[in-house]
Amino acid sequence: MTTAQSAWAGFTARSLARGLGQIFFQPRAWTGVAILAAFVVADWRMALLVLVGTAASTAAGCLLRPPRDTVEAGLLGFCGALVGAAAFTALGSQWLAWLVAAAGGVLCAPVTWVLARLFATPPLRRFALPTTTAPFCLVAGLAYALTTDRHVAAASAPSDAGVVLDLARSLLTNIAEVVLVGGGWSGLLILIGLFLASWRVGVAALMGSAIGSVTALVLGTDPSRIGEGLAGYSGVLTAIALAVVFLRESAASWWYAALGAVLTAGVTLLMNDLTGGPVYTWPYILTTWVMLLIAAPIRGLDRS
């Protein structure tokens, strides 16, 4: 069997489910199913666009002849899944959203390849930086800019629940907003999926969510925005990434992850002030890259 044939053999329903799980670094099919359920609860059309993006990204990635285990682990699909979610968020269910989900999913594959090659160059190789969700952000950002005149208005209900209730609500809405979904029920389904993968991952997600929200409040973010999950969602990914994924788990990695969640909240606020459009997961990406670079010489923060 050739490399190309082997790659396509790994393109299955299970690998697509794992692709959804890989949004949170988890190659677990049941985690992916829980995330898909979260999309369905939000809007079944969004769930379909996510599947289109996942399938398109995985198929395009197979054309680049990766190892079969890369396909089976879902590593080709998660950026396309997020592009599909972003397409729905910006464009609703109009025909253009389906085109963006499919074409954007396909584009994620070569963008990921280029970034991986860049990080493999001699100056950067020793840092072993992950491409993570950067391909999604680049592709979704381009699509957002090219479809400005077709954007749909985002629905947002003002909250008068009070600071404490907004903070409590954000524990789940932060987790949901990682995948551009609003609502605590979706966040709860995703959190269940994370605990199915590992209790450590679930705890790290909650830690990043809580720290992100409290930090955003201290920095003066509107509590209602915090309650919607728009201020603390990137901290969820940063906490998981640094506590249990990219660094060998230890007490030091958890403290480092907590610091990362604090910094991510600040980067989120800064980027929201400087940009007029969605920042997607850039705050998590930039913070995590910098903290991985800094972690290299620090004792107790070994790469996993």
Side-chain angles (χ1 to χ4, degrees):
M1 182 180 291
T2 66
T3 303
Q5 290 172 329
S6 177
W8 282 105
F11 187 179
T12 63
R14 180 179 291 272
S15 69
L16 294 181
R18 287 174 173 167
L20 294 177
Q22 285 285 6
I23 297 172
F24 293 87
F25 322 103
Q26 305 308 307
R28 302 287 187 273
W30 282 113
T31 299
V33 169
I35 293 171
L36 181 61
F39 283 117
V40 173
V41 167
D43 193 303
W44 64 269
R45 296 166 299 179
M46 187 180 196
L48 289 180
L49 282 167
V50 166
L51 289 176
V52 167
T54 308
S57 181
T58 304
C62 286
L63 295 176
L64 298 176
R65 305 175 68 177
R68 177 172 175 172
D69 58 355
T70 297
V71 184
E72 291 179 336
L75 289 170
L76 303 182
F78 66 96
C79 282
L82 289 170
V83 168
F88 181 84
T89 301
L91 301 167
S93 59
Q94 57 183 296
W95 68 269
L96 187 57
W98 299 89
L99 177 60
V100 167
V106 168
L107 187 56
C108 282
V111 171
T112 301
W113 184 87
V114 169
L115 283 176
R117 287 296 179 120
L118 174 64
F119 290 157
T121 56
L124 296 174
R125 184 184 305 147
R126 66 191 181 97
F127 298 111
L129 293 176
T131 59
T132 190
T133 55
F136 147 65
C137 289
L138 291 170
V139 172
L142 176 62
Y144 187 89
L146 293 176
T147 60
T148 301
D149 60 334
R150 300 295 296 271
H151 290 170
V152 298
S156 179
S159 170
D160 56 358
V163 174
V164 174
L165 288 180
D166 279 329
L167 284 173
R169 188 161 61 99
S170 72
L171 286 177
L172 294 178
T173 57
N174 284 337
I175 295 171
E177 278 294 340
V178 170
V179 295
L180 306 171
V181 171
W185 287 112
S186 292
L188 178 60
L189 285 169
I190 295 171
L191 183 62
I192 290 171
L194 297 182
F195 272 102
L196 288 175
S198 166
W199 69 265
R200 293 176 175 84
V201 174
V203 171
L206 285 172
M207 180 185 78
S209 179
I211 292 174
S213 292
V214 172
T215 304
L217 183 66
V218 171
L219 293 175
T221 304
D222 185 340
S224 65
R225 186 171 179 83
I226 294 173
E228 291 172 1
L230 298 173
Y233 67 93
S234 270
V236 174
L237 290 177
T238 301
I240 298 173
L242 296 177
V244 295
V245 177
F246 297 127
L247 299 175
R248 184 171 288 111
E249 186 185 358
S250 65
S253 75
W254 281 85
W255 282 109
Y256 202 58
L259 173 62
V262 172
L263 296 176
T264 302
V267 174
T268 301
L269 180 60
L270 179 62
M271 293 190 72
N272 283 333
D273 288 342
L274 294 177
T275 63
V279 300
Y280 298 123
T281 55
W282 275 123
Y284 141 70
I285 296 166
L286 297 176
T287 303
T288 299
W289 280 347
V290 170
M291 295 198 73
L292 288 176
L293 291 174
I294 295 172
I298 299 177
R299 179 173 299 183
L301 293 177
D302 302 320
R303 295 299 295 269
S304 59

